[in-house]
């Protein structure tokens, strides 16, 4: 946990920390490690030999699953969104292949069936009944892993912070933090992120003591994996000021939004915020 203090936090009397989950592991970084932990332990406990999961061309989840599978001796199969990617590989997919992941490219229409029971049954038959982890690794077991991070934060800080901030894609990380009873500031990395409120509520079905969600949907910079010069400048300045690297898909958008809220006086004086560095630095444009 690292304190981030500058003129903006001082003026607002906000105590801001960053939870450096980006430092957990070079390839299985941040929230992907948290979300995979109990899924993969479960796969091992059941004696599974292979794990199948889903992701897009730049998926940090596929990247992390490939590396973790290799480390644990589990075969991995990645269902990748976009038939065109078969011909034009990128560094994320190359890394996955190098870790031994079997990549299977599907059309966007087929990919959309990724949660349908029939489709999953077909995949299971085709790939020899692997252990299936949904897109983003977001399951009940993932929430359990993320909740552990909240326990660490509480212990390291000596108390629960007023807010825990996170970037949101599927909302699984936000849901995991909420499930541990913390109040969450979730910054959508996608355009039109309002759907996340319902998705997160569904993921929390059955949890009784969950915290309060504040969903911020205006810091998407044009949409998922979109960015502009202003965001890259922010990343650069942030690295220079705090010695913390960010990436342009998730974490820079969250910190940009968080500092914007701090500067506009949205928080009561004395508020304590812990922002989670969810990792993903292997996809960073140099800051
Ligand atoms: C996947 C990812 C997220 C989004 O996490 P969700 O649990 O899907 O909301 C945030 N930050 C980074 C760096 C990620 O790789």
């Amino acid at each position: 946990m690292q304190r981030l203090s500058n003129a903006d936090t001082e003026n607002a009397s906000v105590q801001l920390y960053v939870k450096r989950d980006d430092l957990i592991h070079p390839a299985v970084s941040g929230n992907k490690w948290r979300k995979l932990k109990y899924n993969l332990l479960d796969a091992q406990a059941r004696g599974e030999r292979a794990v199948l999961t889903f992701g897009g061309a730049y998926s940090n989840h596929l990247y992390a699953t490939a590396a973790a599978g290799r480390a644990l001796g589990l075969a991995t199969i990645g269902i990748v969104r976009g038939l065109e990617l078969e011909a034009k590989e990128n560094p994320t997919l190359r890394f996955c292949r190098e870790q031994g992941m079997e990549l299977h490219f599907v059309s966007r229409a087929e990919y959309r069936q990724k949660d349908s029971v029939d489709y999953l049954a077909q995949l299971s038959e085709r790939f020899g009944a692997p252990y299936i982890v949904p897109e983003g690794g977001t399951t009940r077991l993932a929430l359990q892993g993320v909740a552990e991070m909240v326990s660490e934060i509480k212990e390291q800080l000596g108390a629960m912070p007023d807010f825990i901030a996170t970037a949101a894609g599927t909302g699984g990380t936000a849901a995991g933090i909420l499930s541990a009873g913390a109040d969450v500031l979730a910054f959508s990395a996608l355009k039109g992120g309002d759907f996340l409120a319902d998705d997160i509520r569904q993921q929390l079905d059955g949890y009784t003591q969950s915290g309060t969600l504040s969903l911020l949907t205006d810091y998407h910079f044009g949409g998922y994996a979109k960015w502009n010069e202003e965001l890259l400048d922010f990343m650069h300045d942030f690295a220079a000021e705090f010695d913390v690297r960010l990436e342009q898909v998730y974490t820079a958008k969250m910190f940009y939004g968080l500092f914007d809220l701090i500067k506009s006086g949205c928080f009561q004086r004395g508020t304590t915020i812990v922002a989670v560095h969810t990792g993903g630095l292997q996809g960073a444009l140099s800051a």
Side-chain angles (χ1 to χ4, degrees), residues 202-259:
Q202 268 176 32
Q203 291 173 48
L204 286 170
D205 191 30
Y207 288 88
T208 47
Q209 295 192 317
S210 51
T212 303
L213 171 69
S214 305
L215 180 62
L216 293 306
T217 56
D218 290 337
Y219 299 105
H220 54 73
F221 286 82
Y224 181 71
K226 300 234 164 56
W227 61 83
N228 62 18
E229 282 303 314
E230 191 185 359
L231 190 68
L232 297 187
D233 286 347
F234 175 81
M235 278 166 61
H236 180 87
D237 294 346
F238 195 92
E241 185 165 23
F242 299 119
D243 199 22
V244 176
R245 282 183 70 214
L246 303 175
E247 46 65 58
Q248 69 285 350
V249 181
Y250 293 105
T251 49
K253 292 179 182 180
M254 171 192 65
F255 273 111
Y256 183 101
L258 190 54
F259 271 96

Side-chain angles (χ1 to χ4, degrees), residues 24-281:
I24 292 180
H25 186 279
V28 193
S29 79
N31 63 343
K32 300 306 182 284
W33 196 95
R34 301 286 186 184
K35 296 205 291 184
L36 280 170
K37 177 179 172 182
Y38 287 106
N39 279 304
L40 296 183
L41 284 173
D42 186 45
Q44 281 191 317
R46 292 167 186 268
E48 305 278 0
R49 285 155 184 268
V51 172
L52 178 147
T53 194
F54 304 83
Y58 302 97
S59 168
N60 293 332
H61 169 65
L62 284 183
Y63 193 99
T65 304
R70 174 159 201 165
L72 296 172
L74 285 163
T76 52
I77 302 147
I79 307 296
V80 187
R81 182 182 56 223
L83 277 171
E84 76 283 1
L85 293 165
E86 188 143 26
K88 64 175 217 267
E89 219 173 47
N90 67 38
T92 298
L93 298 177
R94 192 170 317 121
F95 175 88
C96 289
R97 237 196 260 281
E98 282 164 9
Q99 299 300 305
M101 182 176 260
E102 179 183 343
L103 298 179
H104 178 68
F105 298 87
V106 302
S107 68
R108 286 174 167 69
E110 181 171 338
Y111 191 87
R112 251 176 263 129
Q113 302 178 57
K114 65 186 162 39
D115 297 317
S116 113
V117 176
D118 288 347
Y119 182 62
L120 293 176
Q122 277 173 35
L123 287 177
S124 179
E125 192 167 314
R126 169 160 188 180
F127 291 102
Y131 186 84
I132 296 182
V133 175
E135 182 185 52
T138 294
T139 62
R140 288 264 142 169
L141 291 169
L143 265 54
Q144 186 185 344
V146 173
E148 267 180 10
M149 178 192 66
V150 179
S151 306
E152 282 174 27
I153 288 174
K154 229 159 104 179
E155 204 175 294
Q156 289 169 320
L157 204 62
M160 190 71 111
D162 295 306
F163 297 102
I164 296 181
T166 184
T170 65
T173 305
I177 299 169
L178 289 162
S179 77
D183 291 343
V184 169
L185 305 167
F187 293 84
S188 173
L190 307 87
K191 190 148 101 183
D194 289 310
F195 74 92
L196 282 168
D198 272 345
D199 280 15
I200 290 171
R201 200 169 309 125
Q202 268 176 32
Q203 291 173 48
L204 286 170
D205 191 30
Y207 288 88
T208 47
Q209 295 192 317
S210 51
T212 303
L213 171 69
S214 305
L215 180 62
L216 293 306
T217 56
D218 290 337
Y219 299 105
H220 54 73
F221 286 82
Y224 181 71
K226 300 234 164 56
W227 61 83
N228 62 18
E229 282 303 314
E230 191 185 359
L231 190 68
L232 297 187
D233 286 347
F234 175 81
M235 278 166 61
H236 180 87
D237 294 346
F238 195 92
E241 185 165 23
F242 299 119
D243 199 22
V244 176
R245 282 183 70 214
L246 303 175
E247 46 65 58
Q248 69 285 350
V249 181
Y250 293 105
T251 49
K253 292 179 182 180
M254 171 192 65
F255 273 111
Y256 183 101
L258 190 54
F259 271 96
D260 195 46
L261 298 179
I262 290 172
K263 285 188 280 194
S264 19
C266 286
F267 299 107
Q268 277 183 26
R269 305 186 82 75
T271 297
T272 303
I273 304 168
V274 175
V276 183
H277 194 317
T278 42
L281 291 173

